[in-house]
Amino acid sequence: MTIAQKTPQLDYQMPDIAAASRGLYVNGGWRPSHSGRDIAIVDPSTGERLTSVPDATVEDARLCVQAAAGAAPLWRATPPRKRSEILRRCFELMIERSEMLATLISMENGKALRDARGEVAYAAEFFRWNAEEAVRITGEFGIAPSGTNRIIVDYQPIGICLLITPWNFPAAMATRKIAPALAAGCTVILKPASETPLTAYALAAIYEEAGVPPGVVNVLTTSDPGSITAEVLGDPRVRKLSFTGSTGVGRHLLAEAAKHVISCSMELGGNAPFLVFDDANLEAALDGAMIAKMRNAGEACTAANRFYVQSGIYDAFAEGLRKRMAALKVGSGVDGQTDCGPMITRKAVEKIGRLVEDAKTRGARALCGGETPAGAGFFYPPTVLVEVSASSEMAHEEIFGPVAPLYRFETEEEAVASANDTEYGLAAYVYTGDVARGLRVSTNLEAGMIALNRGLVSDPAAPFGGVKQSGLGREGGQHHGIAEFMEAKYIATSF
């Protein structure tokens, strides 16, 4: 594999890095941290420093809670139509500035520009969708079975929300939480990943321009997330924690939230199986595999992590996948010709390399890729491994990179059992020409989301979330997303 070393094609809109890193966003204004310290932001394509952002302290966290608490009564009382119009304006501004946002994502995250553009469109859609849902929050009215009283159920904002988002989708993971929270009438504190905070700050400026009042959205970055999280969750005014990230961190946050009996939504790790049966359309399965594996270069919780391919189609699928993966261009994220950008950090590359080497020692063969390249940046080549052992570490651990391991199976029962042999249950993919089999397998797979003859499962209009160790609650969907940010209040009356 060779990494493009030429100057990237300048077919993008250069963002204002200085504006995106001007300070913490608290109560509608920009400010330095109490400590005066900064966090360096690195370009994964080069390993060089892009800029820095403030490193927040517990004092800054207290200011965020104070701002969110001060803004809460007015925002809660804002008519749903007014909230809806503000959310719609957030969507419109994101679309207007999509090129700038996409370039910023590519610069700090490393993902290919075409992926970043797709992320911005996806992220903006959460504002449009929740703008429409904000005016459709209704209660319930009924008669008690005894006939002696009426039952009224009112849905109210849950309160101040702490939102913690990962680095792999710096725009979408933020808007997927902020949009329904604001639609429900909540105020929020966002803590984006310290690797990719520039997008979150750029979006904060857009919210302000769209009319989100001061204090409704607050954004802070920190190198000490444990102390910040404990401080915020320890304040009795904070009533909700929504987290997207690893299962290990999720367990820790659940324990912290349990101390204060705080409602939690958790979108955690995945180990998605991709099942291909002999009767599947080969080209369609390969198309889906490339989307499910290579979206964001494999750095996605929904990424296909284990490819189970039935024996009759195994060799053809392996060769087809090899050709497609080997043809991908690896290079700088902002190069418009790049298909696969760098990984987020050197540590991420080292983890991928360790998993690949472990698989090789257990009998796997690399049809393409499989070796860490030399040079600047955090790159790993698109890789296809065949004859991978079920005992390999990558069969049980998220790869989070552009590596597709193939496992051979004979029967449907064997495939389902292997797919379910994991503590995770976020997403799964099934390719078959038999509709009955597809529905049967989808029913038997232990995952919160199934893509049947599709390589993409995410949609703002559908409930996103997993089962088992992959999380709690749902984001998005017709009512699921907003429901996570509301409390049901029961009123008994005899009228």
Side-chain angles (χ1 to χ4, degrees), residues 98-121:
S98 58
E99 277 299 292
M100 178 275 292
L101 290 170
T103 304
L104 190 59
I105 291 171
S106 289
M107 292 177 72
E108 67 172 343
N109 171 275
K111 70 173 62 179
L113 194 56
R114 66 189 63 177
D115 275 347
R117 288 168 176 153
E119 180 184 347
V120 173

Side-chain angles (χ1 to χ4, degrees), residues 155-172:
Y155 290 94
Q156 300 181 337
I158 196 169
I160 299 174
C161 308
L162 174 60
L163 315 176
I164 303 177
T165 55
W167 50 260
N168 57 339
F169 289 88

